Amino acid sequence: MPRILVADPLAEDGLERLRRAGEVTVVSKLQEAELIERIPDFDALVVRSETRVTEPILAAGRRLRVVGRAGVGVDNIDVQAATRKGILVVYAPRGNIVAAAEHTIALLFAVARWVSQADASVKRGEWTKSKFLGTEIRGKTLGVIGLGNVGSEVAKRAHGLEMEVVAYDPVVSVERAELFNVELVALNDLLERADFVTVHVPLVDANRNLIGAPELALMKATARLINTSSGGVVDEDALYEALRAGRIAGAASDVFVSEPAGANRLFTLTNFVATPHIAASTAEAQVSVAFDVAEEVAAVLAGDLPRYAVNAPALPPEELAYLRPFADLTERLATLNTQLFGGRVSAIELDFEGELAEHDVNLLVAAAVKGVLQPFTEDRINQVNARLIASSRGVRLIERRSPAHGSYASLITLRIDGHEIAGTVLMGEPRAVRIDSFRVDLVPEGRFLVSRHEDRPGVVGRFGTILGEHDVNIASMQVGRDGPRGNAMMILAVDDSVGADVLARLREVDGMSDLRYVELRGGSDS
């Protein structure tokens, strides 16, 4: 019978489920040395946030097959070390969804009626009713940024409050949004229309300061902003200035860039409501995450694939060595496609040509799903759960395999709703070789300006002049066209960030039809 070590307090429902899967030993507050001494005899380890699962602990777990985290985050687990050891790390991402959604609604009411400010005033012996004029919820428009697990639950509750709900989430299908009676709109439209805006996206590079000064400027002066997702998604400095100047009416947040938040200057404002990252802190959520992680651990011990694994099952080393550069390429192509073309994602098509078509491409499919969906889901996407997450978002996955057709031994073509990007790996380096009908030779990493314009004199020169005036250095340039004086595509690699004011000037260049600014980071951990 498998042996399971529970190293942090766990709700009884979770312990009971684990007892059906193996022999359970419960300990608490073990130091690293003590855990290293105990772990060699166990097949599974279950923790919450208190115990740190370090590389020495994992190395000592010679029988260890799975580490379970009763909660969403896995920051206290060395996932890379676990992956190298072939140990699955599982977690419970859905157990606190209801708790987080309800806390969002609580903050919505709090910032609409100034509940915490009025409470503090009364307790100071005051009775100043006129200071706390609020606004009603009924009939107002709620803008939900991120229609994932928590966002969709918030939308359902908002309808019960007789609110109109609009949402921004480019990787949710129209059909799925209709299930929640939600209208999908562009981010700017949402910000302009909404009386309340609530944020439910993870903190990844694409979402850092997603709501900054330009976005706050689009909101109504009477609007309120709520954030229960992640610190850093909302630019705290920009929010402070907007609240202080009265450009928006109020805001509430459960999450902050630095936690504990300490002396955050937002706390000095009377139109700001704060809670200490407690959105998931309910008795029911603690029971739910305990049971959910127990189910995941039991599945691994029974030889089944878990639903929520942070790392994927190990491939043979030689297979992984071959596939890893292609997975990196695929994720970058997917991210590039999303940044270049945006739009609604209903299907992800992948064509694998040549030698690559003879291998297990699940890792590459997961990388494509991650590149497209990760900025808009709270779930960590990997080889284990990628297909499930795509399906839950209403995104179809289409795969095709064929022999090599051209000059590349292996080629990946990624197609999303009418646009396609092809790439390969040359000398171990990922390369994009085609964007729609234009041939390119691009290492998909760094900062790029990608323009579509009329092929006529002066366009390229004007671009260079504007960038030079703003001290933006051009690293390289590629220009492709479909014919003389026809349509052209230009890709400029730049060394420096390009601000919104510079982009605005570039878009005014005569003959410009489309301009996108792209930032791509290397590396994949699919």
Side-chain angles (χ1 to χ4, degrees):
M1 175 178 287
R3 299 191 65 196
I4 305 166
L5 181 64
V6 179
D8 288 327
L10 199 69
E12 184 59 34
D13 289 41
L15 291 174
E16 181 57 34
R17 178 64 185 92
L18 290 173
R19 291 185 185 110
R20 298 201 300 270
E23 177 187 333
V24 177
T25 300
V26 180
V27 296
S28 62
K29 300 188 183 301
L30 291 184
Q31 298 299 314
E32 182 182 52
E34 297 173 298
L35 194 49
I36 289 172
E37 186 177 346
R38 298 287 297 269
I39 200 64
D41 297 328
F42 290 91
D43 302 277
L45 173 63
V46 179
V47 300
R48 288 177 59 188
S49 59
E50 292 90 339
T51 297
R52 296 194 62 80
V53 184
T54 61
E55 184 171 11
I57 293 170
L58 294 165
R62 53 177 177 263
R63 287 175 49 176
L64 206 56
R65 294 158 56 190
V66 58
V67 175
R69 161 73 162 92
V72 176
V74 290
D75 294 342
N76 58 319
I77 301 171
D78 190 332
V79 176
Q80 290 186 347
T83 304
R84 289 194 297 268
K85 290 277 293 178
I87 299 168
L88 278 177
V89 178
V90 297
Y91 69 126
R94 301 190 63 84
N96 56 20
I97 290 172
V98 169
E102 289 184 354
H103 193 69
T104 301
I105 298 298
L107 288 181
L108 188 150
F109 273 108
V111 78
R113 301 301 300 271
W114 309 121
V115 174
S116 57
Q117 290 89 335
D119 171 75
S121 174
V122 171
K123 290 176 179 176
R124 288 194 300 266
E126 301 168 355
W127 197 261
T128 52
K129 294 168 62 175
S130 60
K131 286 176 59 177
F132 304 112
L133 181 66
T135 186
E136 293 186 3
I137 302 297
R138 185 183 63 172
K140 299 299 195 301
T141 297
L142 176 66
V144 180
I145 299 176
L147 200 61
N149 294 329
V150 177
S152 58
E153 290 294 325
V154 170
K156 285 192 280 187
R157 285 154 178 78
H159 284 303
L161 298 171
E162 300 182 54
M163 300 185 80
E164 178 188 354
V165 183
V166 297
Y168 166 69
D169 192 326
V171 295
V172 164
S173 65
V174 173
E175 292 77 14
R176 177 171 171 77
E178 288 174 349
L179 292 175
F180 302 108
N181 194 26
V182 170
E183 178 189 357
L184 289 175
V185 297
L187 178 58
N188 287 358
D189 291 341
L190 180 150
L191 295 168
E192 291 172 351
R193 289 174 55 180
D195 301 293
F196 294 84
V197 175
T198 179
V199 183
H200 301 285
V201 297
L203 181 62
V204 296
D205 289 334
N207 292 335
R208 193 172 300 279
N209 294 333
L210 178 68
I211 305 300
E215 290 74 27
L216 292 166
L218 294 173
M219 294 174 63
K220 300 176 182 178
T222 55
R224 274 90 162 161
L225 174 69
I226 300 110
N227 182 16
T228 59
S229 61
S230 299
V233 173
V234 176
D235 183 331
E236 292 181 1
D237 290 334
L239 178 61
Y240 173 82
E241 294 298 336
L243 290 170
R244 186 182 62 84
R247 289 194 291 272
I248 63 172
S253 186
D254 184 54
V255 290
F256 301 90
V257 173
S258 297
E259 296 183 0
N264 192 310
R265 61 178 180 160
L266 285 166
F267 302 160
T268 66
L269 299 174
T270 58
N271 53 351
F272 182 74
V273 176
T275 53
H277 207 148
I278 57 171
S281 297
T282 65
E284 294 85 354
Q286 297 307 306
V287 171
S288 184
V289 295
F291 184 81
D292 286 355
V293 79
E295 285 275 272
E296 297 296 286
V297 170
V300 175
L301 294 177
D304 298 326
L305 282 178
R307 293 173 300 168
Y308 304 113
V310 177
N311 54 353
L315 289 167
E318 63 278 4
E319 182 78 351
L320 184 61
Y322 175 80
L323 290 173
R324 179 66 72 183
F326 286 100
D328 183 16
L329 168 70
T330 306
E331 183 178 335
R332 296 198 210 183
L333 295 182
T335 303
L336 179 59
N337 189 295
T338 300
Q339 293 193 38
L340 281 181
F341 304 116
R344 191 67 46 214
V345 179
S346 59
I348 301 172
E349 299 181 49
L350 288 162
D351 292 345
F352 302 103
E353 298 180 23
E355 296 174 2
L356 189 60
E358 301 172 7
H359 291 260
D360 179 349
V361 295
N362 277 320
L363 187 64
L364 279 60
V365 174
V369 174
K370 181 179 179 183
V372 174
L373 301 186
Q374 191 66 83
F376 289 91
T377 176
E378 303 90 343
D379 296 317
R380 295 171 175 84
I381 300 176
N382 56 52
Q383 186 181 352
V384 175
N385 63 9
R387 295 176 187 275
L388 176 67
I389 289 174
S391 176
S392 71
R393 291 275 175 147
V395 176
R396 292 180 297 121
L397 297 176
I398 302 168
E399 304 165 45
R400 304 182 186 91
R401 299 168 184 254
S402 63
H405 296 312
S407 56
Y408 300 109
S410 293
L411 186 73
I412 300 168
T413 301
L414 179 137
R415 190 175 301 104
I416 299 177
D417 293 341
H419 293 286
E420 63 182 42
I421 302 179
T424 189
V425 174
L426 297 175
M427 304 294 289
E429 185 176 57
R431 306 289 275 269
V433 298
R434 181 167 50 81
I435 299 176
D436 284 341
S437 61
F438 296 97
R439 293 189 177 275
V440 298
D441 182 14
L442 176 70
V443 177
E445 182 175 345
R447 302 181 179 95
F448 301 94
L449 288 164
V450 182
S451 70
R452 291 172 183 261
H453 56 270
E454 296 175 14
D455 179 34
R456 65 186 193 187
V459 174
V460 175
R462 185 67 184 133
F463 252 68
T465 299
I466 293 172
L467 292 176
E469 290 172 354
H470 290 83
D471 197 31
V472 176
N473 193 50
I474 298 174
S476 66
M477 179 179 71
Q478 298 182 48
V479 179
R481 61 182 187 174
D482 56 15
R485 304 277 177 168
N487 297 310
M489 171 182 280
M490 177 169 61
I491 302 175
L492 289 177
V494 294
D495 294 328
D496 311 287
S497 295
V498 181
D501 55 335
V502 182
L503 291 173
R505 286 194 61 190
L506 292 172
R507 291 189 174 108
E508 293 173 353
V509 172
D510 287 343
M512 187 61 53
S513 58
D514 186 58
L515 175 67
R516 300 297 174 101
Y517 176 56
V518 174
E519 289 191 354
L520 293 174
R521 294 180 182 272
S524 170
D525 58 358
S526 301

